[in-house]
Structure formats: structure tokens, C-alpha cells
Amino acid sequence: MHFCNLIEIYGRVHIIDLLSQKENSSEVLLSNTYHSQVQALGSDLVKRTGFDFHAVTKGNNFDRVSVLINYINNEIHNMGFFLFDRQNQTVQNVQSGVFRVNCLDCLDRTNVVKSAISHQIIQNFYLLIGKECYSAVADPLKVAWADNGDHISYIYAGTGALKSGFTRTGKRTISGMVDDVKKTAQRFYINNFQDKN
């Protein structure tokens, strides 16, 4: 029912599964089960790409998400984006699908990947309209995705998002790593000593 609803609203659905593929992990079991359920749908409108986020970005190399973006770039291009010409009051382009990104808790990894996808879509937009001013929106877009991740994470985990320093700046810094350690400790405390409700 979930995927039928997504197809009805968005058209094609491309799943980006960020769960670990490490043998004997609980995440690989969940990922394999998810994959078999997607196959059981038997729909050409639902596609799945597995991307072991932790393995590929090992050592805090989050810029390696570009491997995924390069792999799905044709799909990003084919799905397009909505474009409305206010001057002529006409629809110039229609989005024909959506990316459904998941991991174990759908907070930190997903936000990094969604941010990277959104940057690629904006770059495609500027290529389509023939302008080269993407850099003017790149930084505000990073901040918007980092703020989005922080707000969702506060609701679910009681802290800002991990990796938000990378999402915000596009760089992994020592202060960002220290901030992630602090947030991890806060999450541990909240999950074990406070009422999660």
C-alpha cells in the first residue's frame, strides 16, 4: 500500500537503501528482507539501489557519496524537476519520480544523501536554463538541508543530526567530528536515562 500510494502521487520511486551490507549484521538482514519485498512488488515503477553508506564513506570520507550520485545521475536526470515560468504562466518541466532514501533510523545518513541528490538536481536545473549561477544557491541549500536534518533529529533523537557539519559546509572537519561525538554521547544519555516520550 505504501508504494502504491507513492506511485500514485509521484510516479516512479527509486529506493536508495543505505543499510550496512556487513555480513551477519542486523542491518544486512533488514536490507535483504527489504530487497526481497521490493522484488515481490513486481513493479517496473519501483527501483532499488543498495549503497552501504558506512563502508563507502569509511574514515569520515562523506564526499564519497559522489560515487552514489554518479551511479544514479541518469535517474536523477530522467526524473527531472518541476519548473514553472512565472512570466508566461506555463509549466516548463514536470518531475516524474521521487527518491525514497532509508537507513536504520533515517536521520543522519539519509540527510547527507538527500542533500547530495538535491545539489545534483539544482545543478541540472541550472544546466537546463543555461545559467551558471549554481554557486549562488549552493551554500544556502547546504544550510537548509543541515537545518532540516537538525530539526528532524531533535524530534526523534533529542539532539541535532550527526554529520550536519559536513552537510552544512561540504567538508569534514575536526570540530564537526567533535560535535558528532558530543551528540552521540547526548543520544546515549537520552536513550538510556531519560524518558524517550
Side-chain angles (χ1 to χ4, degrees):
M1 286 178 62
H2 172 66
F3 282 100
C4 287
N5 289 338
L6 290 178
I7 290 166
E8 187 176 320
I9 296 167
Y10 300 108
R12 293 194 322 270
V13 178
H14 190 126
I15 298 163
I16 307 294
D17 181 359
L18 304 177
L19 290 167
S20 171
Q21 297 303 304
K22 193 175 185 179
E23 202 171 318
N24 297 323
S25 75
S26 59
E27 286 192 22
V28 77
L29 176 63
L30 185 59
S31 180
N32 291 340
T33 304
Y34 189 23
H35 178 65
S36 64
Q37 291 300 310
V38 168
Q39 283 184 315
L41 287 173
S43 174
D44 293 338
L45 296 174
V46 179
K47 182 177 181 182
R48 179 191 165 276
T49 297
F51 182 77
D52 188 335
F53 184 92
H54 288 312
V56 176
T57 64
K58 191 173 185 176
N60 293 316
N61 292 312
F62 300 131
D63 56 335
R64 300 253 315 128
V65 168
S66 63
V67 170
L68 172 65
I69 300 304
N70 290 337
Y71 182 77
I72 64 170
N73 196 33
N74 283 341
E75 190 78 6
I76 293 171
H77 180 74
N78 291 337
M79 282 188 191
F81 47 84
F82 182 79
L83 178 60
F84 183 78
D85 184 335
R86 290 190 310 180
Q87 187 175 1
N88 297 323
Q89 294 293 300
T90 57
V91 174
Q92 301 292 311
N93 200 45
V94 177
Q95 182 176 334
S96 64
V98 68
F99 287 94
R100 186 192 188 288
V101 184
N102 74 279
C103 65
L104 193 61
D105 57 15
C106 294
L107 290 174
D108 311 310
R109 290 177 264 185
T110 54
N111 205 50
V112 169
V113 170
K114 289 178 191 178
S115 173
I117 292 171
S118 74
H119 280 276
Q120 187 61 50
I121 292 168
I122 296 293
Q123 287 177 358
N124 292 349
F125 164 75
Y126 277 106
L127 285 172
L128 180 74
I129 65 171
K131 293 188 178 178
E132 296 184 12
C133 53
Y134 166 72
S135 59
V137 297
D139 287 341
L141 186 60
K142 288 176 188 172
V143 170
W145 273 106
D147 289 349
N148 174 65
D150 283 341
H151 290 300
I152 292 170
S153 183
Y154 273 113
I155 293 167
Y156 179 77
T159 71
L162 302 179
K163 305 168 188 63
S164 65
F166 176 80
T167 306
R168 198 173 298 281
T169 65
K171 298 174 189 158
R172 191 66 171 148
T173 63
I174 299 222
S175 65
M177 288 186 266
V178 168
D179 189 48
D180 284 353
V181 169
K182 178 181 158 192
K183 289 174 185 171
T184 301
Q186 288 173 320
R187 287 181 180 183
F188 177 82
Y189 178 80
I190 290 167
N191 287 334
N192 289 288
F193 301 108
Q194 290 184 337
D195 183 354
K196 286 180 98 170
N197 293 330

